[in-house]
Amino acid sequence: MNKLVITALFTLPFLLASGEANIDPAAGIAPLTGADFYDRGRPNTDQVELGRLLFFDKILSGNRNISCATCHHPTLGTSDGLALPLGEGATGLGPDRRVPADAPVAGRVPRNSPALYFLGATEQARLFHDGRVAKDPNENWASGFWSPAREQLPAGLDNVLAVQAMFPVQSAVEMAGQKGENDIATAAALNRLAGRDGVWELLAERLRQIPEYVARFRGVYAHIDTAEDISFVDAANAIAAFEVDAFRGYDSPFDDYLRSRDHRALTLDARRGMNLFYGRANCASCHSGQFQTDNEFHAIAMPQIGPGKNDGWDQSYWQATGFMARLEDHGRARETLRPEDRYAFRTPSLRNVELTAPYGHSGAYTTLEAVIRHHADPVASFNNWRPAAAQLVAVDHVVETTATGSQLRYKPVNPGRLGDYRKRDTWVMQTAALREQILNANELEPVELSDGDINDLTAFLRALTDPVHRDAAHLVPERVPSGLPVDD
Ligand code: HEC
Ligand code: HEC
C-alpha cells in the first residue's frame, strides 16, 4: 500500500465525523514544550524577577526617562502600538505618546518596534528586522556573537536576547539621549561602549549605587559578592531571562489543536484559514514551523515610511529640503552587503500577531486584514497604499545634527522648516525611483484570495493568540528599585 492510501484510510473517520475533506495541514508541526526554550523552560525565578525590574526601570536610559517597556509594553502586545516609536524625550505610552516642547527628540525611531513573544525559543537565532544580532558561526569575536559592537561586545552573554539588550541603551534616539545631555549619551555618541568610561560601565555604576539592585544581583549570581562585581552583562542576562519567561505561553487554540489534533479546538473559520495558510495561500512557504517563521529574510514590497536608515544613494530629499538625509532602509543587505538582499526583512513570527499592530518593518499597515491583503497582491497593495494609512503621531519638536563623530552637535529644527522636515515620513513612497526599487526587489507571488478567504486567514491568525497575553498587566511592577516612575 502506498503512503497516500494509508493516510487516506487513517483520515477517513475524521472525514466522516466532520464532513471536511482534510488531511491535517499542520501535520509536520510538533506541539511546543519547555524544551524549545532557553533554560528548558525552567528559569531561575530570582533572575527573572531582577530582569523584570530592569526591563521597566528608566534608570537604564541616559536621561532616566524611558525603559525597555515603553516600547515593548506587555499591555500593548510587547510593542508600543505606534507605526514608528518615539524614543527618549517623548512622554506618554502607546498611541498617547507625544513630544513635549521642552524636550525635542532626534526624530522618529526608524523601524517598527517588534513584539518580543517567543524570542526565547532557541530556534530564534537572529534578532532585529535585519538579523544584525546572531550567533557568530566563525567565532571571530571573543563574545561568540555577531553584533554591531563587533569586538567591543564582552564575553559572558547567555544568548542572542542578552546580546540584544546591550544595544537600546546606547542608541541616542531610543534610550541614551543626545550628546552632552548626560555622560552615557556622550559616550554613546563617541562609540565608547566597552571600557571604563564606556556606556555599559556607566550604566553598571548607576546600578551599583542602588542597594536593592546590589542585593538582588548578589542573590542571583554566584560571581557577585560586592557592588563592584556587577557588570552590565549581568543585567543583560537578567533582562533576557525575563523576556524568555514572560513572553511565551502555548495555550492558544492552535496549540490546543497541535496537542490534540482535534479539529474542534479551532472555529470553522480558523480551520478554513489554517487550510489556506498551509495550503493554497502558500503562507507557510515563509511562515513555517512552530512559530510561523523560517527565520529568513524576504523582500515583499512592504511600504517604507519614516526616517529610514540612511541607505542608498538617493539625494532627492536632501536636494528638495536641505536636510542631509537619505531615507531608504535596505534591510538585510545592510548586514550582508549583497545587492540581492535589499529590502529583505526577517519573516516575523505570527504568534500573538493580532495583539501587535501596526505591521511590517516600518509599521505601514494598521490592521491585520490590510497586511494580509498586501500579501495577496503585493504590487497592487503597495501602489494603493496612501500615507494616511500609517497614522503617524505628529512630531513638532525636533533637533537636527550638525556634523558627526567627535564634532557632533544638535540644534533645534527651525519651526519654519518643520514642513520640509516632515516630508521625510512619506518621501520614499512619493518618489518614483525609490518605489520602483522596492517593487523590483519583491519576491512574493500574488495569490487569489476572496474576501471570505481573508476573513478565514484572519481567524486563523487570531487562533495563534495565547489568551494569557491578552491581559498582561500583571507583568507590570508596582515600583522599581530606582524609584523612577513606571509606565502603566
Ligand atoms: C524607543 C523604543 C525602544 C526602546 C526603548 C527599546 N526598544 Fe527594543 N526595539 C525597538 C525597535 C524599533 C526594534 C527593531 C530595531 C531594528 O530591527 O532595527 C527593537 C528590537 C528589539 C528586539 C529584537 C526583536 C526581534 O524580533 O528581533 C528585542 C529583543 C528588544 N528590542 C528588546 C529591548 C530591550 C531589552 C530594551 C531595553 C534595554 C529595548 N528593547 C528598548 C524599539 C525599542
Ligand atoms: C515570501 C515569503 C512570505 C510569504 C509567502 C508570506 N509572508 Fe507574511 N511576511 C513575510 C515577511 C518577510 C514579512 C515582514 C516584511 C517586512 O516587514 O518588510 C511578513 C509579514 C507578515 C505579517 C505582519 C507581521 C508583523 O508582525 O508585522 C503578517 C500578518 C503576515 N506576514 C501574514 C502572512 C500571510 C497570512 C501569508 C499568506 C497569505 C503570508 N504572510 C505569506 C514573508 C512572507
Side-chain angles (χ1 to χ4, degrees):
M1 243 190 306
N2 70 29
K3 212 170 146 202
L4 207 74
V5 175
I6 297 177
T7 321
L9 279 179
F10 275 106
T11 358
L12 205 57
F14 175 80
L15 287 185
L16 297 176
S18 69
E20 287 171 54
N22 263 330
I23 292 170
D24 181 359
I29 302 179
L32 285 170
T33 69
D36 295 310
F37 297 85
Y38 298 119
D39 311 318
R40 299 191 58 79
R42 284 191 293 274
N44 171 336
T45 50
D46 290 337
Q47 190 186 27
V48 169
E49 179 59 12
L50 171 60
R52 182 169 81 113
L53 296 171
L54 291 166
F55 189 85
F56 282 90
D57 201 332
K58 298 183 177 177
I59 194 76
L60 297 188
S61 60
N63 292 324
R64 296 178 171 83
N65 59 5
I66 187 168
S67 73
C68 308
T70 312
C71 295
H72 299 289
H73 208 273
T75 64
L76 293 166
T78 62
S79 182
D80 59 358
L82 299 171
L84 298 170
L86 293 172
E88 78 85 36
T91 55
L93 187 64
D96 299 328
R97 204 157 163 77
R98 295 289 180 274
V99 179
D102 59 352
V105 296
R108 297 182 202 282
V109 175
R111 288 179 178 163
N112 180 259
S113 172
L116 305 186
Y117 297 121
F118 293 102
L119 295 178
T122 50
E123 74 155 63
Q124 307 273 46
R126 297 192 281 199
L127 295 185
F128 286 123
H129 292 291
D130 50 18
R132 68 186 179 276
V133 158
K135 266 203 98 64
D136 175 13
N138 306 319
E139 303 276 339
N140 284 319
W141 317 115
S143 68
F145 295 96
W146 183 250
S147 83
R150 307 288 188 256
E151 75 285 358
Q152 290 200 70
L153 193 72
L157 290 155
D158 286 345
N159 50 49
V160 283
L161 272 176
V163 176
Q164 191 285 331
M166 304 294 279
F167 291 96
V169 294
Q170 52 94 21
S171 154
V173 63
E174 288 187 5
M175 293 181 82
Q178 295 148 29
K179 187 184 166 200
E181 287 181 336
N182 63 74
D183 53 354
I184 291 167
T186 301
L190 300 173
N191 195 31
R192 268 195 334 243
L193 305 179
R196 277 236 59 90
D197 48 4
V199 169
W200 296 318
E201 177 61 20
L202 294 170
L203 282 167
E205 189 53 33
R206 280 191 184 180
L207 298 175
R208 292 174 194 138
Q209 303 299 325
I210 300 171
E212 183 181 342
Y213 272 130
V214 176
R216 285 185 181 273
F217 274 97
R218 288 185 57 192
V220 171
Y221 296 108
H223 65 269
I224 297 181
D225 205 13
T226 66
E228 289 316 299
D229 301 328
I230 297 173
S231 83
F232 195 70
V233 169
D234 304 312
N237 284 334
I239 290 173
F242 166 68
E243 293 170 313
V244 175
D245 187 56
F247 304 140
R248 61 178 171 159
Y250 18 92
D251 284 318
S252 68
F254 182 64
D255 290 302
D256 289 345
Y257 174 79
L258 291 182
R259 279 188 292 262
S260 67
R261 303 291 165 177
D262 180 347
H263 65 281
R264 285 166 302 185
L266 300 170
T267 65
L268 187 59
D269 290 2
R271 241 144 57 209
R272 281 196 301 254
M274 176 167 75
N275 290 340
L276 280 167
F277 191 93
Y278 292 102
R280 187 172 63 78
N282 205 27
C283 310
S285 65
C286 299
H287 296 282
S288 55
Q290 290 170 305
F291 303 96
Q292 289 74 41
T293 170
D294 56 2
N295 296 304
E296 289 296 336
F297 304 82
H298 303 277
I300 66 163
M302 274 286 178
Q304 292 208 336
I305 54 175
K309 299 288 276 185
N310 224 21
D311 291 338
W313 298 269
D314 182 83
Q315 301 187 347
S316 57
Y317 173 75
W318 181 359
Q319 282 155 4
T321 66
F323 287 108
M324 205 173 88
R326 288 168 300 152
L327 305 174
E328 290 167 73
D329 182 344
H330 280 180
R332 183 61 179 159
R334 294 172 56 80
E335 277 304 292
T336 64
L337 307 179
R338 291 164 16 142
E340 60 271 34
D341 289 336
R342 276 183 206 148
Y343 306 107
F345 293 84
R346 197 190 54 193
T347 311
S349 165
L350 298 182
R351 283 180 168 262
N352 300 321
V353 72
E354 82 166 291
L355 308 177
T356 69
Y359 302 107
H361 67 272
S362 69
Y365 288 109
T366 313
T367 65
L368 208 44
E369 186 190 323
V371 75
I372 298 175
R373 284 190 190 278
H374 175 90
H375 283 74
D377 193 346
V379 174
S381 175
F382 182 89
N383 284 332
N384 293 332
W385 187 90
R386 293 289 171 268
Q391 299 186 354
L392 289 170
V393 174
V395 175
D396 295 330
H397 311 286
V398 276
V399 291
E400 60 180 311
T401 54
T402 65
T404 53
S406 62
Q407 297 305 307
L408 175 70
R409 297 281 179 277
Y410 291 91
K411 69 166 195 223
V413 171
N414 181 320
R417 294 175 73 216
L418 269 178
D420 275 348
Y421 180 91
R422 288 198 197 102
K423 287 181 185 157
R424 68 182 57 194
D425 283 338
T426 53
W427 191 267
V428 169
M429 294 303 284
Q430 291 175 332
T431 304
L434 297 179
R435 296 172 62 94
E436 200 180 306
Q437 285 180 33
I438 296 177
L439 288 175
N440 285 342
N442 175 45
E443 58 179 275
L444 179 60
E445 299 285 342
V447 32
E448 184 114 357
L449 295 175
S450 68
D451 287 353
D453 293 340
I454 303 269
N455 169 71
D456 294 343
L457 281 167
T458 310
F460 174 61
L461 295 190
R462 292 216 166 98
L464 299 176
T465 306
D466 183 326
V468 77
H469 296 297
R470 283 189 199 279
D471 179 12
H474 66 277
L475 290 171
V476 184
E478 265 166 35
R479 53 172 291 281
V480 288
S482 68
L484 291 165
V486 176
D487 287 320
D488 60 4

